[in-house]
Amino acid sequence: MSNVIEQLEARRAAARMGGGQKRIDAQHSKGRLTARERLDVLLDEDSFEELDMFVEHNCADFGMADQKFLGDGVVTGSGTVNGRLVFVFSQDFTVFGGSLSERHAQKICKVMDMAMKVGAPVIGLNDSGGARIQEGVASLGGYAEVFQRNVLASGVVPQLSLIMGPCAGGAVYSPAMTDFIFMVKDSSYMFVTGPDVVKTVTNELVSQEELGGAVTHTTKSGVADVAFDNDIEALLAARDFVDFLPENNRSPVPERPTADDWDRIEPSLDTIVPDSANQPYDMHEVIRKTVDEGDFFELQPAHAGNILIGFARIEGRTVGIVANQPMVLAGCLDINSSKKAARFVRFCDAFEIPIVTFVDVPGFLPGVAQEHSGIIKHGAKLLFAYAEATVPKITVITRKAYGGAYDVMASKHLRGDLNYAWPTAEIAVMGAKGAVEIIFRGKTPEEIAERTAEYEGRFANPFVAASKGFIDEVIMPHSTRRRVALGLRKLRNKSLENPWKKHDNIPL
């Protein structure tokens, strides 16, 4: 018996070494942790239970029969994050560059299947050179098997991808279909075709970092959500982030104790909106002074900054936050901000996370480029997302809510449950000056000025909308947290269903 146990321990030790010490050292020299070290940081201590440690590839071509490593380039299993169950896979770059083989894919599929059966989040740590070329179409088939599970798991269990090294070619589509993507600066990259192919086909010279690095994808493309400085920072952020997410689409949002009083008054909010309608203020301040302990986990902070999205807590329970940001493009909605917010709203709705919306929007961004790039259809995504959402929706209009953008931003007409306005709110078809110049075209400047003052007196306030029932209450800014907390309590047992359908057809 002791001999068998020794053999088992020897095999386990060999599996833990991955591709060997030399390759582990090479991984460390790039500033990257190994697959197992990453799991040690991500998961609670001693909580990881590995599956398929002894799996080997089944390829006999190109001398592969003589090159076998236990685990076949990916570490899979389950563990806990702050005591809550998650399923994980961590690709091991020290084994064949983390390339995906048929068996490697089967390991990933197994943990994804188990996650869906028991209802627990899936966290994937990606560090792979792509498909294992020696296996040919078997490797491509493995990718497709993973993609299929990404789709089936979407909206059932939360899926988080951490890109911690290369992720190229077909490999990028699995993270792209997960709910959130974290990347590491100067260490991870994603692209469908690499710099060499780009140079050959289009004659463009571009580095890996410029083409698909963490900064590129969190600022320009919006493919990734947040970029971190190193592996450890990304993994610790993932631990915090998972704490906001429910385990699955049938579980309630997580709840944590808080010492922050639900009825805390914030007098500073009474003066945050400037006297001048053209002067910006930072919506981050409004959010942080409303939520528990000022804790706001912002997503895509460097992309489409004219809208803010992220998770926070009210009375210890997770809420999704969507807010226009007057500091960027005056808070106008454009293509990128509409797409950014729409996907977030749909995620919240899929997992029964209440949505709190702060509105200060002068309209959609005008311009030829926006129109020709499809602002109509992209703007409709956000409208569609809010309209179909059945979760509790609370809206607070802080200042401007003009035109179609008023409708889009979780208005009462899109089944908003509680729609509040501050006394500084202005709800109208458009700004006073533009409206008067259209209505009273041809009048003298003096008459225009007089009519503008009249229009402002009539519409530059929330009371016309309130008189029609479109605003439930005009509230004092300092009581925003109290009102939102009470509203969420009332709506906790909200029941609303959309008509039966196989699925909707959101304007993509």
Side-chain angles (χ1 to χ4, degrees):
M1 182 68 177
S2 60
N3 187 39
V4 174
I5 291 171
E6 284 174 14
Q7 286 182 33
L8 172 61
E9 289 303 331
R11 281 180 170 270
R12 283 181 172 172
R16 290 191 189 103
M17 287 302 290
Q21 192 61 51
K22 185 177 177 183
R23 288 176 181 168
I24 290 172
D25 293 341
Q27 182 81 340
H28 288 162
S29 70
K30 297 172 190 169
R32 298 174 185 161
L33 300 178
T34 64
R36 292 176 185 279
E37 289 168 344
R38 287 166 176 161
L39 291 176
D40 288 342
V41 176
L42 175 67
L43 301 173
D44 296 340
E45 190 173 359
D46 297 327
S47 72
F48 180 53
E49 289 197 316
E50 187 168 353
L51 298 174
D52 291 335
M53 179 185 263
F54 306 123
V55 164
E56 296 177 341
H57 70 74
N58 57 347
C59 178
D61 298 320
F62 305 104
M64 288 294 287
D66 302 322
Q67 300 181 66
K68 294 200 175 184
F69 296 89
L70 296 177
D72 200 29
V74 65
V75 183
T76 59
S78 63
T80 60
V81 173
N82 298 319
R84 299 170 69 226
L85 176 66
V86 296
F87 284 83
V88 293
F89 66 87
S90 181
Q91 292 181 314
D92 187 352
F93 196 78
T94 70
V95 176
F96 301 120
S99 60
L100 185 133
S101 68
E102 185 178 21
R103 292 281 168 83
H104 179 131
Q106 285 171 358
K107 288 181 65 173
I108 294 173
C109 291
K110 183 185 286 189
V111 292
M112 293 184 75
D113 288 340
M114 290 188 71
M116 282 189 279
K117 278 182 199 171
V118 304
V122 178
I123 305 175
L125 312 184
N126 293 264
D127 188 359
S128 168
R132 194 169 299 170
I133 298 169
Q134 294 93 329
E135 293 202 14
V137 72
S139 174
L140 299 179
Y143 269 127
E145 293 283 353
V146 175
F147 300 159
Q148 181 65 66
R149 282 159 179 81
N150 288 133
V151 173
L152 295 177
S154 182
V156 178
V157 294
Q159 299 178 78
L160 172 62
S161 296
L162 278 72
I163 314 300
M164 314 200 78
C167 184
V172 298
Y173 291 112
S174 175
M177 288 187 287
T178 62
D179 299 307
F180 305 101
I181 299 175
F182 292 174
M183 293 185 75
V184 181
K185 294 176 187 174
D186 304 316
S187 178
S188 65
Y189 50 85
M190 299 174 72
F191 39 67
V192 176
T193 52
D196 293 340
V197 177
V198 169
K199 182 184 175 185
T200 302
V201 176
T202 70
N203 248 355
E204 294 170 290
L205 288 173
V206 64
S207 68
Q208 286 184 340
E209 189 63 30
E210 290 171 320
L211 183 62
V215 173
T216 296
H217 283 313
T218 52
T219 57
K220 295 178 184 176
S221 72
V223 165
D225 291 281
V226 194
F228 298 94
D229 289 330
N230 54 59
D231 280 12
I232 290 178
E233 192 180 306
L235 292 160
L236 292 178
R239 283 180 60 85
D240 289 340
F241 184 68
V242 169
D243 259 4
F244 286 100
L245 307 180
E247 291 166 329
N248 55 65
N249 61 356
R250 295 178 183 273
S251 296
V253 294
E255 197 170 348
R256 66 155 56 168
T258 178
D260 198 349
D261 294 335
W262 68 272
D263 56 353
R264 168 171 50 80
I265 298 299
E266 273 294 341
S268 62
L269 290 182
D270 288 342
T271 55
I272 193 170
V273 176
D275 291 334
S276 169
N278 296 324
Q279 192 175 336
Y281 59 95
D282 191 353
M283 191 64 87
H284 283 108
E285 190 176 344
V286 177
I287 295 168
R288 292 202 175 97
K289 287 180 175 176
T290 302
V291 303
D292 290 355
E293 292 140 17
D295 184 17
F296 176 49
F297 196 113
E298 187 176 355
L299 294 163
Q300 298 193 26
H303 176 69
N306 41 328
I307 206 159
L308 310 177
I309 60 169
F311 293 111
R313 296 181 182 88
I314 302 281
E315 292 196 276
R317 299 166 67 92
T318 301
V319 295
I321 303 286
V322 180
N324 304 116
Q325 170 59 298
M327 301 282 284
V328 180
L329 295 176
C332 279
L333 288 172
D334 63 354
I335 289 171
N336 287 338
S337 63
S338 297
K339 291 192 294 184
K340 170 181 168 179
R343 189 153 197 267
F344 181 73
V345 167
R346 283 170 68 84
F347 175 84
C348 291
D349 188 49
F351 289 97
E352 290 296 328
I353 299 171
I355 302 166
V356 178
T357 307
F358 293 95
V359 180
D360 186 350
V361 61
F364 282 91
L365 185 67
V368 174
Q370 287 286 308
E371 294 292 351
H372 288 186
S373 298
I375 182 65
I376 295 171
K377 207 152 203 179
H378 293 298
K381 291 175 183 175
L382 183 54
L383 169 61
F384 195 107
Y386 269 125
E388 74 167 345
T390 60
V391 293
K393 293 183 283 192
I394 297 179
T395 304
V396 180
I397 301 175
T398 62
R399 188 167 61 176
K400 297 173 185 172
Y402 289 166
Y406 153 73
D407 285 327
V408 169
M409 292 299 296
S411 63
K412 177 61 70 178
H413 323 281
L414 300 185
R415 301 188 298 186
D417 295 298
L418 289 168
N419 290 68
Y420 297 129
W422 287 2
T424 46
E426 305 170 18
I427 304 167
V429 175
M430 62 197 302
K433 189 172 183 295
V436 168
E437 285 173 352
I438 291 171
I439 298 169
F440 301 102
R441 187 178 285 117
K443 297 289 186 182
T444 66
E446 292 76 17
E447 288 175 308
I448 291 290
E450 183 184 335
R451 296 295 190 179
T452 298
E454 182 186 335
Y455 189 95
E456 285 175 345
R458 177 93 172 94
F459 291 112
N461 63 68
F463 300 110
V464 175
S467 73
K468 299 178 185 296
F470 301 159
I471 295 296
D472 294 304
E473 181 67 283
V474 180
I475 64 171
M476 292 301 290
H478 66 246
S479 67
T480 301
R481 173 176 167 83
R482 175 177 166 276
R483 293 286 192 153
V484 171
L486 275 174
L488 290 170
R489 275 192 215 171
K490 291 175 197 169
L491 294 166
R492 208 164 279 176
N493 294 320
K494 174 185 175 182
S495 179
L496 176 65
E497 288 187 3
N498 291 326
W500 186 90
K501 60 187 85 171
K502 185 176 180 182
H503 59 74
D504 54 48
N505 188 21
I506 185 169
L508 295 172

